[in-house]
Amino acid sequence: MQTSVLIYLVIFGLLAAGGNLVGGFFVTEAGTASRTALKRLVGVGAGFMLAAVFLEVVPAITAQWATEAPTAMAWLLGGYLLIQLAEHAIAPHLHFGEEVHTEEVGRRGVAATAVLGLAIHAFFDGVTIASGLLSSLRLGVFLSLAVLIHKLPEGFTVASIVLSSGRGLRAARQATVLVATATFAGIVLVVLAQPLVTYTLPLSAGVTLYVAASDLIPEVNQEGGLRASLFVLSGVVLFYLVHLIVRAAMGV
């Protein structure tokens, strides 16, 4: 592995884990106005992630797999279904955003399974970052940014769930640290199994697609109206601007 790639892995891994911690901070320390702004970031993140998957990752995957593109799409579908299974089998009450159903979350084991579900999300965030960077720097930048944008809401969610279950601030912070650590675990796994990157890239693309379309978009839709759609559209526009910047910086 090139030293430059290793440096990028460490940098983006730290930023992603830091995003979880900052998101948890918004729940445990920040005021209502800051939490509202964080919720809106969910819409921006959803738009950016959808654009990244369809406009950057899928074309790269089909180019890598060439005549076996249908197999690659099967791996992508597998990633989508894997997270759907994890959410509904392990953490059926999990959703992104502030937890307000305190009675439901307060039931024995619900909060723990929700935190476990988010840790699985975070683990595949790490898989996504490493798979992108080990495939190409350009792809890695786009996927890492897609992960970073939803890391704040992810940390926000895990801390909110723990607090809603009746646990204290310390437990909420510990849960946030656990989720942040899971991100690094995903990165380490892919680095140790580099020959499998051809498979982990479409798998992680399916995970990213699920998080954007099935986790984040429903949260945005709860707000309803034109404003919700504009947040998602702004994420797509942000992706396009980043796309132009990356192309100019890399000369491609």
Side-chain angles (χ1 to χ4, degrees):
M1 182 193 304
Q2 296 181 356
T3 303
S4 59
V5 175
L6 180 60
I7 292 174
Y8 279 115
L9 283 169
V10 172
I11 291 174
F12 281 116
L14 287 173
L15 288 174
N20 283 143
L21 298 178
V22 172
F25 169 83
F26 274 97
V27 173
T28 59
E29 302 293 342
T32 303
S34 297
R35 296 185 191 185
T36 300
L38 188 58
K39 289 179 183 179
R40 292 172 180 171
L41 185 61
V42 169
V44 178
F48 190 100
M49 294 171 76
L50 287 173
V53 169
F54 286 113
L55 302 180
E56 195 70 33
V57 184
V58 170
I61 292 172
T62 53
Q64 285 183 0
W65 286 73
T67 57
E68 297 183 49
T71 303
M73 292 303 101
W75 278 94
L76 188 151
L77 177 61
Y80 186 100
L81 295 176
L82 178 64
I83 295 301
Q84 195 276 340
L85 175 64
E87 282 199 2
H88 291 274
I90 298 176
H93 301 287
L94 176 63
H95 68 89
F96 274 72
E98 188 167 15
E99 184 56 65
V100 294
H101 303 99
T102 54
E103 292 183 1
E104 184 176 88
V105 175
R107 293 208 306 268
R108 185 179 182 87
V110 171
T113 56
V115 172
L116 177 59
L118 282 166
I120 293 173
H121 269 292
F123 175 82
F124 279 100
D125 286 339
V127 170
T128 298
I129 291 173
S131 297
L133 286 170
L134 291 174
S135 297
S136 74
L137 179 57
R138 171 175 163 170
L139 192 60
V141 168
F142 284 122
L143 282 175
S144 296
L145 289 175
V147 167
L148 291 178
I149 289 176
H150 84 271
K151 273 302 188 178
L152 289 174
E154 191 174 69
F156 177 80
T157 300
V158 67
S160 176
I161 288 172
V162 173
L163 290 176
S164 295
S165 71
R167 305 291 296 276
L169 294 178
R170 182 178 179 181
R173 292 171 185 143
Q174 289 175 339
T176 306
V177 170
L178 173 64
V179 171
T181 304
T183 303
F184 265 105
I187 292 175
V188 171
L189 176 67
V190 175
V191 170
L192 293 177
Q194 287 188 51
L196 299 179
V197 168
T198 302
Y199 301 96
T200 59
L201 182 60
L203 189 73
S204 63
V207 171
T208 303
L209 181 60
Y210 185 91
V211 172
S214 299
D215 280 331
L216 303 187
I217 289 293
E219 288 298 317
V220 177
N221 289 344
Q222 286 183 10
E223 184 169 339
L226 177 62
R227 185 166 57 176
S229 296
L230 288 177
F231 285 132
V232 177
L233 180 60
S234 66
V236 176
V237 173
L238 178 61
F239 169 83
Y240 178 70
L241 293 176
V242 172
H243 176 79
L244 294 178
I245 293 171
V246 171
R247 287 192 62 181
M250 297 184 176
V252 293

